Amino acid sequence: MTTTAAPPVTRRRGRADDADRGILSSSDWRRRRVRVTTRVTHAVLLLSLIVVGLGPILWLAKSAVTPTQDTLRQPLALWPNGIDWANLGEAWNRVEIDKYFANTVIIAVGVWVVQVLVATTAGYALSVLRPRYGKVVVGAVLATLFVPSIVLLVPLYLTIVQPPLLGQSLINTFWAVWLPAGASAFNVLLMMRFFDSLPREVFEAARMDGAGPYRLFWSVVLPMSRPIIGVVSVFAVIAAWKDFLWPMLVLKDPALQPLSVRLPQLQQYIELDVFLAALAISTVIPIALFLVFQRIFLKGAGMGGAVKG
């Protein structure tokens, strides 16, 4: 009695099913009406996204070199009376953008250092060292994500005014912005989830070679965590660059204020075209950061959604 092998029908069907997956199948794409309608729809959606996403930025760039009267009379016209490049130089000198730009950089760098330090050490302790009370701490950290930040504004401000153990107010110091930034439960959980995905065999091998917890953290964990450190860094710098409310409350001295706080206060003292030029200059750095680190930023956005979910 002889038997014959059945042909691999299932495999072929699987490939056919994979090819037909989606809203439109391959047979639909062969229809001219469906193909044209779909491509026109794609083009309209893409154009709409470009207008909504890049429209305000392009308008700001155009208005930065446009005289005030032209911006008020014809806000959407492209330089009806020529381009005024002097707005950029006047904004840089009159608004003292270099001074407030330096303050913004100092704040962003300090926030970045504090957030990375707290997130890496806390995530390492909860994920790698795993103390007995680790689950309780993780639950407490996770619970803080459900508390609106505006609720914590008054207690946090009172703590900065009268910090424990210091006996001296931190108002009008950069520490008042740096230290509260470290209390980011999202970054701690993000870092902890990444540490959980690292191979435990490497940690055990390092311990067998005599590496202590500090050596394990510095020589093994940190070199393997460059991707997630980059994600946290981008989040920290962009958040610090655009923060307005908290620096306005704790940095009352104009000489210490960043661009996000100082520019709105100077609006009533300068012309509209100079103010728009100052705004355009202040947005260059965040846009440049996003363009340079867009892969890390988009990867971090995906990881953040996974943690929240």
Side-chain angles (χ1 to χ4, degrees), residues 96-108 174 257 259:
E96 298 180 325
I97 290 184
D98 55 343
K99 175 182 177 181
Y100 303 116
F101 176 82
N103 294 340
T104 308
V105 171
I106 294 174
I107 291 175
F174 291 128
Q257 292 176 348
L259 285 170

Side-chain angles (χ1 to χ4, degrees), residues 96 99-100 103 172 251-258 261-262 265-266:
E96 298 180 325
K99 175 182 177 181
Y100 303 116
N103 294 340
N172 283 330
L251 298 178
K252 300 179 181 179
D253 186 2
L256 299 175
Q257 292 176 348
V261 176
R262 193 57 183 163
Q265 296 178 356
L266 295 176

Side-chain angles (χ1 to χ4, degrees), residues 115-125 187-188 191 195 217 221-222 225 228-229:
Q115 286 197 10
V116 171
L117 178 63
V118 174
T120 53
T121 53
Y124 171 74
N187 288 339
V188 173
M191 195 72 67
F195 289 162
F217 173 73
V221 175
L222 283 186
S225 305
I228 193 62
I229 292 177

Side-chain angles (χ1 to χ4, degrees), residues 12 101 164 183-184:
R12 293 179 180 177
F101 176 82
S184 176

